[in-house]
């Protein structure tokens, strides 16, 4: 008992130092799996780690923490959320790609690492298809265009008019690939020059937007909705071609004549390292896909501005391949050169 206690205390200390958050069985899963993972003495025998490629406070992080709570309840064990922000998600992706394929390291990620990075960067230390085993889609992250409150605009048309009247004054922040590509696409399609200001992740970009260091940014609803509702920054449009039910009063960017056809959506999914046993992938898929399609999870993440739904591993795998091609076209059309 003493050895177990010491090991547990050591684990907690390490988790704290690395800013991990261990989530136990705190939240009920409405449609829990019809079997208990470890009743036969098998998987899992230790905490599962969900690696997130963005900082705490980002939309993906918020969704991962809710998913972690509910996964922990289903497996009657612990789930750790491990934020490894930086390098546009490369640090986290490389870490997971090289992790042991034993089901204890998962990757809650987005189109940044698995759709856009191969076209944004000249070389990557991971392959989004070969180095990962798809587990389940978790849903979509609608994005919105927000501006600093001091910028005297309340619509996309007014923003573009202001930019033309003040050449070289518009700046846009980004904390992920969707922000990068959306800003570049907005500038190219409108013909209004905009200076890109990249950030390590979304929270510090929002802070500088509020502080007036940058004019605007394209941010996911999950990360920015609360700040908009608090009146600290102004939302003027969504990047999807249709209005989102999560913020129906916002018009699409595509409604502006110069931006007709504008349609950029971010997605979220869970992967494991390539080589993870098929039976473990299927067990995880059962819980995660049921969760993403279930009422409890959907209602909780909807409050964050996240549209949840699950998939099979095969569907996520095929989707990843198709998104790589889609984002390559988006990036090339925006005139972004790989770095």
């Amino acid at each position: 008992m003493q050895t177990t206690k010491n090991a547990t205390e050591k684990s907690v200390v390490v988790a704290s130092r690395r800013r991990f958050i261990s989530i136990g069985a705190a939240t009920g899963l409405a449609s829990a799996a019809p079997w208990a993972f470890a009743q036969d003495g098998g998987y899992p025998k230790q905490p599962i780690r969900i690696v997130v490629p963005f900082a705490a406070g980002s939309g993906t992080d918020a969704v991962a923490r809710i998913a972690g709570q509910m996964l922990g309840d289903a497996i009657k064990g612990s789930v750790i959320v491990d934020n490894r922000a930086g390098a546009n998600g490369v640090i986290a992706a490389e870490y997971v790609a090289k992790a042991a394929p034993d089901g204890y390291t998962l990757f809650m990620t987005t189109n940044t690492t698995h759709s856009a990075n191969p076209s944004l960067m000249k070389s990557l230390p991971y392959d989004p298809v070969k180095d990962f085993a798809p587990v389940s889609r978790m849903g979509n992250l609608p994005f919105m265009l927000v501006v600093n409150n001091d910028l005297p605009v309340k619509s996309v048309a007014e923003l573009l008019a202001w930019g033309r009247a003040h050449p070289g004054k518009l700046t846009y922040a980004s904390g992920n690939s969707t922000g990068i590509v959306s800003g570049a696409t907005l500038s190219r399609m409108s013909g209004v020059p905009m200076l890109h200001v990249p950030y390590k992740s979304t929270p510090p970009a929002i802070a500088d937007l509020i502080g007036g260091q940058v004019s605007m940014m394209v941010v996911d609803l999950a990360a920015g909705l609360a700040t908009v509702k608090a009146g600290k920054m102004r939302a003027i449009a969504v990047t999807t071609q249709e209005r989102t039910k999560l913020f129906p009063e916002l018009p699409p960017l595509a409604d502006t004549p110069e931006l007709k056809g504008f349609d950029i959506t971010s997605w979220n999914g869970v992967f494991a390292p390539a080589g993870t046993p098929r039976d473990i992938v299927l067990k995880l898929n059962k819980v995660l896909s049921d969760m993403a399609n279930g009422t409890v999870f959907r209602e909780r993440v909807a409050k964050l501005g996240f549209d949840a739904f699950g998939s099979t591993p095969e569907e996520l795998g095929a989707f990843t391949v198709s998104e790589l091609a889609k984002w390559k076209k988006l990036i090339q059309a925006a005139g972004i050169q790989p770095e």
Side-chain angles (χ1 to χ4, degrees):
M1 288 294 292
Q2 186 63 36
T3 300
T4 302
K5 179 181 179 182
N6 290 341
T8 302
E9 291 175 346
K10 181 179 180 181
S11 176
V12 171
V13 171
V14 172
S16 176
R17 287 177 179 172
R18 297 180 67 103
R19 300 184 64 190
F20 293 174
I21 292 186
S22 180
I23 309 172
T27 304
L29 181 58
S31 55
W35 30 257
F37 267 47
Q39 279 186 350
D40 60 356
Y43 171 84
K45 295 181 179 179
Q46 64 191 56
I48 294 173
R49 176 177 303 179
I50 298 179
V51 177
V52 175
F54 307 115
S58 63
T60 303
D61 170 74
V63 173
R65 294 181 188 281
I66 294 174
Q69 287 181 328
M70 297 181 73
L71 176 60
D73 184 69
I75 66 175
K76 304 190 186 311
S78 296
V79 176
I80 295 169
V81 175
D82 179 357
N83 298 96
R84 291 179 178 260
N88 215 36
V90 172
I91 293 172
E94 183 180 15
Y95 174 82
V96 176
K98 294 179 178 179
D102 54 12
Y104 293 107
T105 302
L106 302 178
F107 194 25
M108 174 82 81
T109 192
T110 71
N111 49 281
T112 288
T113 62
H114 277 58
S115 301
N117 277 354
S119 296
L120 289 174
M121 301 182 180
K122 291 181 179 178
S123 63
L124 286 176
Y126 69 92
D127 186 301
V129 176
K130 296 179 181 178
D131 292 340
F132 298 87
V135 178
S136 177
R137 287 280 298 276
M138 295 303 291
N140 286 337
L141 284 156
F143 273 62
M144 58 185 170
L145 176 61
V146 296
V147 299
N148 174 267
N149 280 338
D150 292 334
L151 199 64
V153 302
K154 294 185 178 180
S155 69
V156 177
E158 290 180 0
L159 173 69
L160 299 181
W162 191 91
R164 293 187 179 103
H166 302 81
K169 296 295 185 180
L170 280 180
T171 57
Y172 69 94
S174 72
N176 48 51
S177 67
T178 303
I180 295 170
V181 177
S182 294
T185 302
L186 175 61
S187 178
R188 181 191 61 81
M189 292 182 72
S190 66
V192 177
M194 301 174 186
L195 176 65
H196 178 213
V197 184
Y199 286 79
K200 185 176 180 179
S201 64
T202 297
I206 291 177
D208 275 5
L209 172 65
I210 294 171
Q213 281 75 34
V214 289
S215 311
M216 60 185 188
M217 71 180 292
V218 171
V219 62
D220 56 282
L221 269 65
L225 194 56
T227 306
V228 168
K229 290 184 175 181
K232 296 180 180 180
M233 61 185 183
R234 184 183 308 121
I236 60 175
V238 290
T239 63
T240 49
Q241 197 159 20
E242 304 293 335
R243 290 177 185 256
T244 172
K245 61 184 179 182
L246 301 173
F247 203 160
E249 56 267 44
L250 282 185
L253 280 162
D255 282 4
T256 304
E258 301 102 309
L259 305 176
K260 185 178 180 179
F262 195 109
D263 185 15
I264 296 179
T265 301
S266 176
W267 57 269
N268 185 296
V270 174
F271 296 80
T276 299
R278 176 70 175 170
D279 64 323
I280 290 179
V281 170
L282 292 178
K283 285 183 177 182
L284 289 166
N285 172 264
K286 173 63 178 173
V287 174
L288 291 171
S289 62
D290 281 359
M291 178 196 303
N293 290 324
T295 302
V296 175
F297 182 76
R298 288 178 61 86
E299 289 182 350
R300 289 190 66 186
V301 296
K303 295 176 182 177
L304 301 173
F306 184 83
D307 184 17
F309 54 86
S311 75
T312 66
E314 291 74 21
E315 288 169 341
L316 176 55
F319 178 76
T320 301
V321 172
S322 67
E323 285 292 288
L324 283 165
K326 173 186 173 180
W327 279 80
K328 181 177 182 179
K329 291 180 180 179
L330 284 171
I331 290 165
Q332 289 177 340
I336 301 173
Q337 297 298 316
E339 296 183 355

